[in-house]
Amino acid sequence: MPFSFIKQSQTTLQVSKHLIPMTLVAGLSCLMALGMYVIVYFPAQVSLQNSSNTYASVLQIRKQKEDAQETQKTLSNIWKELPAQKDFTRLSVSIASLAKTHHVHIPGMGYDLETPRHKLATKGILSFEASGQYKAIRTFIFELESQWPNVFIEKLSVERSKKSNDVGFKMKIATFLRRSQENSTLSSQEL
């Protein structure tokens, strides 16, 4: 007799009549909770993860766009500061004048214009030999770099003169030049 304990008491019988449906209700509630967990919670977790990934990707794209806009603004400012191609000869005259002010002798200057592969600007190159006192040359080079921040020294060789106390040097300087007025404003497609 497997259910002999039920027959022993009338109270046990009464309780067991109510206990079986309650057990079924509790079991069904557990199954429903498990079903809701599987049906609602897991898809919500997947959706939350996808949303988090999308949000992170949107933030990254936003940061890249802000960086690109900042770079565009910086390039636009640099572009405005570049001398125009027509002002290249004035630059050479100004450099010769600066040298004269600092007692540096430049007998002549050669120039060349190159078009880089990007073709947005022209590269202007000035080559010259000069001589003078070491201190005067040092001051001249400092002033050259200070007055024209877009001019950079590509090559510099220095040697002491055997005839006097002067120092002779060969210098090659370069800058980028805006090609013409219609190209002075760059569009975002060109950069």
Side-chain angles (χ1 to χ4, degrees):
M1 285 201 200
F3 295 109
S4 64
F5 66 91
I6 297 175
K7 294 183 183 178
Q8 290 179 356
S9 142
Q10 194 64 14
T11 311
T12 309
L13 187 58
Q14 290 283 333
V15 169
S16 66
K17 284 183 183 178
H18 296 292
L19 188 61
I20 291 174
M22 298 269 293
T23 305
L24 285 175
V25 168
L28 284 174
S29 296
C30 287
L31 284 175
M32 283 178 52
L34 182 62
M36 292 300 279
Y37 181 79
V38 170
I39 292 171
V40 174
Y41 181 74
F42 279 142
Q45 281 295 99
V46 169
S47 177
L48 177 65
Q49 186 62 40
N50 289 343
S51 297
S52 296
N53 291 343
T54 302
Y55 179 70
S57 131
V58 166
L59 282 179
Q60 184 178 12
I61 290 170
R62 179 179 170 209
K63 175 79 169 113
Q64 288 172 345
K65 183 179 178 185
E66 288 172 353
D67 290 347
Q69 287 173 337
E70 188 65 32
T71 302
Q72 178 70 28
K73 197 183 304 182
T74 302
L75 286 174
S76 179
N77 290 337
I78 289 171
W79 185 255
K80 289 175 189 173
E81 291 176 7
L82 288 179
Q85 189 169 343
K86 65 181 180 173
D87 296 332
F88 186 56
T89 54
R90 254 188 259 153
L91 177 65
S92 64
V93 170
S94 297
I95 290 173
S97 175
L98 178 68
K100 190 174 183 181
T101 303
H102 291 287
H103 306 293
V104 174
H105 179 65
I106 299 178
M109 221 180 260
Y111 73 93
D112 190 20
L113 296 173
E114 295 177 358
T115 303
R117 62 182 168 92
H118 56 72
K119 298 180 183 175
L120 293 174
T122 302
K123 184 178 180 182
I125 301 170
L126 293 171
S127 302
F128 55 90
E129 292 183 15
S131 61
Q133 295 292 317
Y134 175 76
K135 185 176 180 180
I137 291 173
R138 192 177 71 200
T139 306
F140 165 71
I141 291 173
F142 175 77
E143 288 289 324
L144 176 73
E145 290 179 329
S146 299
Q147 282 187 12
W148 298 285
N150 296 317
V151 171
F152 55 95
I153 299 172
E154 279 192 342
K155 191 174 187 181
L156 176 66
S157 60
V158 181
E159 61 180 57
R160 184 162 298 280
S161 174
K162 295 175 184 164
K163 298 177 185 175
S164 65
N165 256 352
D166 286 352
V167 175
F169 68 97
K170 294 178 184 176
M171 184 179 267
K172 181 178 177 183
I173 61 172
T175 187
F176 286 98
L177 308 163
R178 285 182 281 137
R179 292 184 129 191
S180 64
Q181 276 306 91
E182 68 263 3
N183 291 338
S184 65
T185 307
L186 288 178
S187 67
S188 60
Q189 291 96 7
E190 290 176 313
L191 293 176

